[in-house]
């Protein structure tokens, strides 16, 4: 009786499991195919960002993405913080870090003329925030069909996180199914990683688009650039990840030692008591 019941429950659960899997696969077949699952260096309890990649990723952001996408949660000095791609122990204050100063100086930032109060732009300094790319959301949408979202937190903001951003950038090589192709207007592109399969962002990466400097720099293939910019954006979405993981590990060790200590004192305290 009991055995029958268990078997029946097991079968029931198995059936539900199959139904759920089939349903998930059926509804997003293109999406599932195009989603790439990468073994990111920052996953896992001891995960860290791939610093070289994140540095190259900043270059990709600057030279490619920044013509449309802002990074409004970041100031230039954040690039030189502890745990950031351009941290340098010789310059614990990132405002003094020459690389960070150089990056800031590559940008014009909005300001107000202190004499007559009129709007003006000046060269960036490390304390400035990354400037907006468009005047406002409407101008951004007018220029691109849809407003390019801010990228500072995008890795956290999308299901699939880093895998999603990476796959999206590489997701343009698929033929649009007829029913989607029919409804696609000018300025829209098929990309099965995007919800609904249609995106207003043209394909961005092609092999050799930019030059990576440095002796050991890899070739700028589109996979490499997608990987690098995703490392950079993963950092920008969670700059304290490494610190958090270190503290978490320290806490585990502390709790472990405390457990041993408590156990030993327990033995000591109850040593002469009969029980
Ligand atoms: C020519 C302008 C342009 C450039 C350059 C550009 N994008 Fe976009 N991007 C867009 C637009 C427009 C959208 C909004 C698309 C939509 O909602 O259909 C977008 C959307 C996105 C999204 C969000 C997609 C989603 O799920 O909503 C990500 C992530 C993204 N871009 C990453 C990048 C990265 C990384 C780069 C640089 C390698 C880049 N983009 C370069 C225009 C651009």
């Amino acid at each position: 009786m009991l055995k029958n019941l268990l078997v029946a429950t097991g079968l029931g659960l198995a059936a539900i499991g199959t139904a759920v899997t089939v349903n998930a696969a059926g509804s997003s077949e293109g999406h599932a195919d195009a989603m790439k699952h990468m073994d990111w260096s920052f996953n896992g309890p001891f995960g860290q960002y791939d610093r070289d990649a994140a540095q190259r990723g900043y270059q990709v952001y600057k030279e490619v993405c920044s013509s449309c996408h802002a990074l409004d949660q970041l100031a230039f000095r954040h690039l030189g913080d502890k745990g950031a791609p351009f941290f340098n122990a010789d310059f614990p204050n990132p405002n003094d870090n020459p690389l960070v100063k150089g990056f800031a100086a590559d940008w014009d930032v909005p300001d107000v003329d202190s004499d007559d109060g009129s709007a003006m732009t000046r060269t960036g300094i490390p304390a400035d925030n990354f400037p907006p790319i468009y005047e406002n959301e409407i101008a951004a949408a007018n220029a691109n069909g849809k407003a390019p979202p801010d990228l500072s937190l995008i890795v956290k903001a999308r299901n699939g996180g880093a895998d999603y951003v990476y796959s999206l950038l590489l997701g343009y090589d698929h033929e649009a199914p007829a029913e989607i192709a029919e409804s696609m207007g000018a300025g829209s592109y098929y990309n099965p990683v995007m919800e609904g399969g249609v995106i207003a962002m043209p394909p961005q990466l092609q092999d050799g688009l930019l030059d990576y400097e440095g002796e050991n720099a890899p070739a700028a293939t589109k996979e490499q650039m997608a990987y690098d910019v995703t490392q950079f954006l993963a950092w920008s979405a969670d700059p304290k990840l490494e610190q958090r993981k270190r503290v978490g590990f320290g806490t585990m060790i502390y709790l472990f030692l405390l457990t041993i200590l408590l156990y030993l004192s327990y033995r000591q305290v109850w040593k002469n008591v009969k029980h």
Side-chain angles (χ1 to χ4, degrees):
M1 171 68 197
L2 185 65
K3 198 173 144 207
N4 282 349
L5 195 68
L6 283 177
V7 170
T9 321
L11 282 179
L13 285 177
I16 293 174
T18 320
V20 168
T21 329
V22 165
N23 189 24
S27 65
S28 57
E29 207 167 14
H31 182 87
D33 282 351
M35 262 310 256
K36 301 177 200 310
H37 299 283
M38 303 285 285
D39 190 9
W40 295 101
S41 61
F42 43 81
N43 288 343
F46 304 108
Q48 292 193 327
Y49 295 116
D50 176 342
R51 206 148 310 267
D52 291 341
Q55 293 189 354
R56 292 189 299 269
Y58 174 69
Q59 184 186 347
V60 177
Y61 168 73
K62 177 72 176 75
E63 291 184 22
V64 186
C65 324
S66 75
S67 49
C68 300
H69 291 279
L71 278 182
D72 65 14
Q73 304 294 312
L74 285 190
F76 299 116
R77 71 187 150 77
H78 291 141
L79 296 171
D81 277 345
K82 215 165 178 187
F86 298 96
F87 174 70
N88 179 340
D90 293 341
F91 302 99
N93 178 352
N95 293 325
D96 302 330
N97 181 324
L99 280 177
V100 173
K101 284 188 190 170
F103 295 141
D106 287 339
W107 295 74
D108 285 334
V109 298
D111 203 349
V112 171
D113 189 312
S114 55
D115 290 333
D116 61 12
S118 61
M120 52 159 311
T121 54
R122 59 165 173 78
T123 305
I125 56 167
D128 289 320
N129 287 336
F130 277 79
I133 309 299
Y134 294 98
E135 201 83 348
N136 51 51
E137 191 96 347
I138 301 171
N142 272 341
N144 295 285
K146 284 204 175 148
D150 186 86
L151 290 187
S152 352
L153 298 175
I154 200 85
V155 168
K156 286 267 173 224
R158 291 291 182 275
N159 268 338
D163 281 343
Y164 176 84
V165 172
Y166 178 79
S167 309
L168 182 82
L169 291 170
L170 299 175
Y172 289 88
D173 296 344
H174 304 261
E175 187 85 34
E179 70 274 16
I180 294 189
E182 269 168 28
S183 62
M184 267 167 50
S188 53
Y189 305 83
Y190 180 65
N191 187 327
V193 178
M194 183 79 175
E195 177 104 48
V198 179
I199 187 166
M201 170 167 77
Q204 292 302 317
L205 303 177
Q206 37 181 303
D207 293 345
L209 180 67
L210 43 78
D211 282 327
Y212 281 148
E213 281 171 25
E215 259 171 48
N216 302 319
T221 59
K222 56 184 180 173
E223 288 79 12
Q224 186 69 48
M225 287 182 282
Y227 175 84
D228 294 347
V229 78
T230 305
Q231 282 275 350
F232 174 71
L233 294 174
W235 164 77
S236 76
D238 193 355
K240 299 275 183 245
L241 168 135
E242 293 178 4
Q243 202 180 339
R244 206 170 55 241
K245 290 189 172 177
R246 264 198 308 275
V247 172
F249 184 61
T251 313
M252 293 305 288
I253 294 196
Y254 169 77
L255 288 175
F256 179 66
L257 294 179
L258 191 70
T259 309
I260 295 180
L261 222 71
L262 283 175
Y263 177 68
L264 291 178
S265 44
Y266 159 85
R267 297 273 302 240
Q268 183 70 25
V269 169
W270 292 89
K271 198 168 57 179
N272 298 322
V273 180
K274 258 197 167 157
H275 60 289

